[in-house]
Amino acid sequence: MGNKRYLNFQGYSFMMPALLAILFFTIVPVVYAFFMMFYKVDILSGARTFIGLDNFRKIFEDPKFWASFTNTFRYVLVVVPIQTMIAMALAALLNSKINFSRGFLMIMFIPTLTSSSAMTLIFMWLFNNNGLMANVIEQLFGTKVEFLTNPSLVLTVIMAMNIFSTVPHFMVVFLSGLQDIPESLYEAASLDGANSFKKFLHVTVPQLMPITFYVITMGLVGCFQIFDQAFILSGGTGGPQNSTLTFSLYIYQLAFTSNDMGRATALAFVLGTIIFAVTYIVNKLLKADEVNG
């Protein structure tokens, strides 16, 4: 009995630094933010005034909230499915009997190794009014396209950048899942007369469902929390015409531009609720826990 207590004490001792870090840097801030939602807080003076649910009323009445809501959901609905499908297809290609050179594989991983800030600057250079893409389109079609100043196109640039930079990472995740699929399933499908496409559709895709759920979940969380690309590209304004304003950027503006930490924490709570609800719905639709036993 004494030995068991000693082992338990030893285990908790090793865990204590991590537990304290989680307590002070995660749990305490979350609890404190929960109470701040009901106050009008000026971060400069530190003054707090209890206003109940008024922060939520102000948020839902603000046109910038609905702009950030529309932009973020557009971003999620485009980026998550495309990056998931491309990553799965590339993983299946790499897992096939085709031999790829090491140089090609290394080039594929460069976007993942590049920081998002550097990637944003590269895409700003490519898509600015005198950038490579604008010049190529003008040479080919005789039309000048202004990607970064056109409210209809600038969010598309951020979408393309995110897909380009996240696909290699998710491809590796899918590749690890493909390695665990029993070869006997493909042999059985071959005996039933299935071609390569049918094997992929009826064997690979169902067997990868738990991995797909993980990839979609991580993609959803990352896309809903997009901040740095929109901040750098718009200079923190969310422009032009709020076309790059996302939830996280709007939270930043409320907290550090408007000095209203109460509304910022209320919006953060709304964002957290949306992420939880969407993830729950995706889990129910994919039924990932019912696949592979």
Side-chain angles (χ1 to χ4, degrees), residues 105-122:
L105 295 175
M106 193 163 64
I107 291 173
M108 288 185 64
F109 284 100
I110 289 177
T112 301
L113 302 175
T114 307
S115 71
S116 59
S117 300
M119 187 64 67
T120 304
L121 293 175
I122 292 171

Side-chain angles (χ1 to χ4, degrees), residues 40-58:
K40 178 176 175 57
V41 182
D42 189 326
I43 61 173
L44 295 179
S45 64
R48 291 186 299 177
T49 306
F50 181 78
I51 57 174
L53 298 175
D54 199 46
N55 280 325
F56 292 95
R57 180 187 62 79
K58 290 179 180 177

Side-chain angles (χ1 to χ4, degrees), residues 83-95 100 104-112 163 165-179 208 211 214-215:
Q83 71 183 8
T84 303
M85 289 187 290
I86 294 177
M88 183 185 293
L90 287 176
L93 191 62
L94 288 176
N95 196 53
F100 294 93
F104 173 76
L105 295 175
M106 193 163 64
I107 291 173
M108 288 185 64
F109 284 100
I110 289 177
T112 301
I163 292 169
S165 59
T166 56
V167 160
H169 167 71
F170 291 135
M171 179 188 67
V172 173
V173 176
F174 275 123
L175 192 57
S176 66
L178 285 168
Q179 310 273 319
L208 284 178
I211 304 295
Y214 168 80
V215 169

Side-chain angles (χ1 to χ4, degrees), residues 72-83:
T72 305
F73 267 87
R74 270 185 60 203
Y75 184 84
V76 169
L77 291 173
V78 172
V79 171
V80 174
I82 292 177
Q83 71 183 8

Side-chain angles (χ1 to χ4, degrees), residues 193-211:
N195 55 29
S196 298
F197 178 74
K198 288 185 177 180
K199 288 178 185 178
F200 177 79
L201 196 63
H202 297 292
V203 177
T204 304
V205 174
Q207 289 295 314
L208 284 178
M209 198 57 69
I211 304 295

